[in-house]
Amino acid sequence: GNRHLQVSLATKKDKDFKTTVFVGNVDFKADEEKLRAFFSSFGEVENVRLVRDSLTHKPKGFCFVHFVD
């Protein structure tokens, strides 16, 4: 479909604190594509990482949005 997939090496350090924002209180029904669409009005979004519980795979209610600039 029209979904984005990010693949990165485990050894690569891709944390950029100048272009990444923490977003708290995210609705548990939100998905990466909805978040990407919302935040794209503020700039070009490189990726969205919706943090999930490792056992249940349910969203934890926060995410990180990484902008190009």
Side-chain angles (χ1 to χ4, degrees), residues 4 9 16 24 31-32 34 39 45 48 57 60 64 66:
H4 292 84
L9 298 175
D16 184 359
D31 64 9
E32 288 92 346
K34 288 180 182 177
F39 283 101
V45 176
V48 175
H57 301 288
K60 287 190 168 185
F64 295 91
H66 184 195

Side-chain angles (χ1 to χ4, degrees), residues 6-15:
Q6 176 187 359
V7 178
S8 59
L9 298 175
T11 58
K12 181 183 173 194
K13 294 191 176 193
D14 57 355
K15 292 179 175 55

